Structures are given as C-alpha cells and as structure tokens.
Amino acid sequence: MTWNRLISFSPECQTFQGLSSVAVGPNGSPTFSTTKAFTNTRTLRIHATLRIGYIFPSTMTQIRTGFWINHAGPTVAQTATLFGILLVGGSYLNLRWNQSTSEIDVTLATVPVDSISVPASLAATDTWMHIGLFYSADSTSGRFILYVNGVEVYAYTGDTGSGATGAYMPSAYATNQNWGSYLYLDDWFVDGGSGNSEGPPPAARFLFALPNAAGDDSQWSVFPSGSNYQAVDEATFDTDTTYVYAASSGLQDLYNFANVTLPLGYSIATVRGIVYGKKSNAAVDTELKLVISDGATDVESSAIDLTTGYTLLTATFDTDPSGTPWTESTVNSTQFGIKSSGTF
C-alpha cells in the first residue's frame, strides 16, 4: 500500500492560500515569526487563533501527519488543541492538552472519550520536537496514534468515524483555551491512503528556495514589466501586482533558485514545486505544468487544471531531471519553472 501527499505547508511561504480556517478565538490568524527559526527563517506562531487546516479533495479512511513544534504548554488552567481531524458529518476528532489535569484528552464531537498523562517527551518546553499522528477510520476499531520524535506515546482504539475530510494544526480550542506564549510550528504535511500499516510518519523538513535569476527559457510575458523571474520571486505572492502570463499553449519559463543547505543527517526524498496560478476564462480548458531542467533534459509534471481564482498548485518530482536521486548539489543546479498547457 502507499501514501499520497495531500498537503505540504511551510511557514516560509507566509500565506494561508489554499488552506481552510475555522474561528475558535477572538485574536485572528496565526502569525509568521522569525523568533524561533527552525528549518528556514520563519515559523508559524500560535496562541489564540483561527484554526488553520486543509480540506481533503476526497474522504480519507487513513491519514498520517507530521509537524515540528516548540511550545510553552497551554496557558494556566486552559486546554489547547494539539491536532484536529475533521470527520465525515462535520464533527472533529481532537487531541487536546489540559493544563489543569496534565492530561492529553481525546474528544470526539467535543465529547471526551479517553485521556492519558502528558508524556515527558511532549512536556519538554522551549524544545523543537516532532509530532506524528496516524488515523484509521472505523466505528469500533478505529485507531488514533500519537508519536513524539518517532516514538509511540499513545494509541486510541474506538470510534473514529467513517472517514476524514480535513485536518487542522494546533490552535486554541475555543475562546480562552489558548497555548502559552507561544507555540511555534514548522513543516506540516498530511498524507492520505488506505490499507497502510501503523507507524510513525517521517520527520520531514521542507527546505525553501525562491527564484533569484533567469533560467534558460523566458517565454511567458511579464506584468507590469521587468524580468520574468522578478515577477514570481516573492515569498508571499502578491496576486495581480506582479505576475507572468501565457497567451498560448506550450510556452515555458525556467528560473534559477537560491541554494539550499541540507540539515545534518538529512537526505532529499523529493522536490516539490509550488505555484499560485489562475486562468482568465472559465469556459476554456487552460492548464499548467511544472517543469524541472538540468539544461539538457526537461521533465514536466502532469497537467494541472486551473480556475479563475488563484489556487495553490503543486507537483512532486521524486528524482532529478536525469532520473537519479536528488542531492543537495543537483537541487542547487536544477532550474525549475512552468509551462502553459491545454487550450487557450
């Protein structure tokens, strides 16, 4: 059996575009912070905020998710959410940290169904740790497993619903149910699948890079003016202020990117391109492809459908353009870009 990536989120993008939010407190959205840099230069800072997550394209009977946190525990006498899964029917399966009882509570549709003492590995404050979760749907023998730094610390067996339709990062649970100042989060992903064995999710980290120079192809037009790469080199995309556009199919833009540096002990599993794009005519089947190139070989992703509003578009490349596993050197020497596709 296999896992399929549903969402990869890096705070370095400095946007919630493509994500979902649910109001749980009065204090607005999480913020992008440089206070406690981890993989890159920014993390997501969470206190009492909107619940930020992702709605799946279809119902999942299994998910696994992983993310890194650095926390100060919940605010005194309050309960904060460590993670939430949106189930078919609209209820949530939550992991909540009750500061008063020093317990992790499992709640289903706000009803407590189980609890454990906060594990020592999770209780460590001002320390970066990896949180992993495994979810499998069943009305009686469903599973909801918590891992800290790759070690299973809790497993719930019981009613986990008939499937998951979304997943949500740590947040306040409701008004005045907050994290202490503050919880910092980095490198969140969710995989979906079925029939997979239980086990800790990978402790993934997402190196982030932006275009910093023109590549071999600059076939798209630029608005309002300047070099193609300069219209797409902002970390938080600026919607219609600067962009590149294509008026026909088969046009390609390639860009050079800033170098990445691997953390000690890590290797590169995949490279994932991220683009925000749209089309101007809803009645026309205009598409977009993501491209990687080593100067000799271009590799294109499958065509991605567009809508008339900006959408987060991604594609994963498991090997470099020559078909061999990625290394830091080949990532840094590869050009990444886009290609117009479909009808115009």
Side-chain angles (χ1 to χ4, degrees), residues 92-239:
Y92 287 90
L93 181 64
N94 288 317
L95 279 179
R96 300 173 58 200
W97 184 335
N98 188 322
Q99 194 276 336
S100 297
T101 62
S102 297
E103 291 182 336
I104 301 296
D105 299 327
V106 180
T107 64
L108 178 61
T110 73
V111 177
V113 295
D114 202 6
S115 63
I116 60 163
S117 297
V118 176
S121 54
L122 180 58
T125 59
D126 197 21
T127 301
W128 281 103
M129 65 186 70
H130 190 258
I131 302 299
L133 292 162
F134 173 90
Y135 161 86
S136 184
D138 194 89
S139 59
T140 56
S141 58
R143 296 281 279 169
F144 194 29
I145 305 174
L146 171 64
Y147 302 88
V148 179
N149 294 328
V151 178
E152 181 182 315
V153 297
Y154 173 70
Y156 168 74
T157 302
D159 183 6
T160 57
S162 60
T165 61
Y168 286 81
M169 293 182 271
S171 69
Y173 180 72
T175 301
N176 299 323
Q177 296 294 327
N178 309 327
W179 287 97
S181 300
Y182 293 90
L183 180 146
Y184 296 85
L185 178 145
D186 207 355
D187 299 338
W188 176 50
F189 75 90
V190 182
D191 291 340
S194 62
N196 293 289
S197 299
E198 298 175 1
R205 298 175 69 174
F206 306 143
L207 299 176
F208 182 83
L210 290 169
N212 65 355
D216 292 343
D217 295 322
S218 298
Q219 298 174 352
W220 287 46
S221 300
V222 182
F223 179 88
S225 62
S227 299
N228 291 41
Y229 84 92
Q230 292 174 322
V232 296
D233 65 352
E234 65 272 7
T236 303
F237 86 108
D238 58 15
T239 61

Side-chain angles (χ1 to χ4, degrees), residues 220 275 286-290 302-304 306 313 338-339 341:
W220 287 46
V275 176
T286 306
E287 299 171 322
L288 179 77
K289 296 180 179 180
L290 276 67
S302 298
I304 303 170
L306 300 174
L313 311 170
I338 51 179
K339 189 171 186 177
S341 181

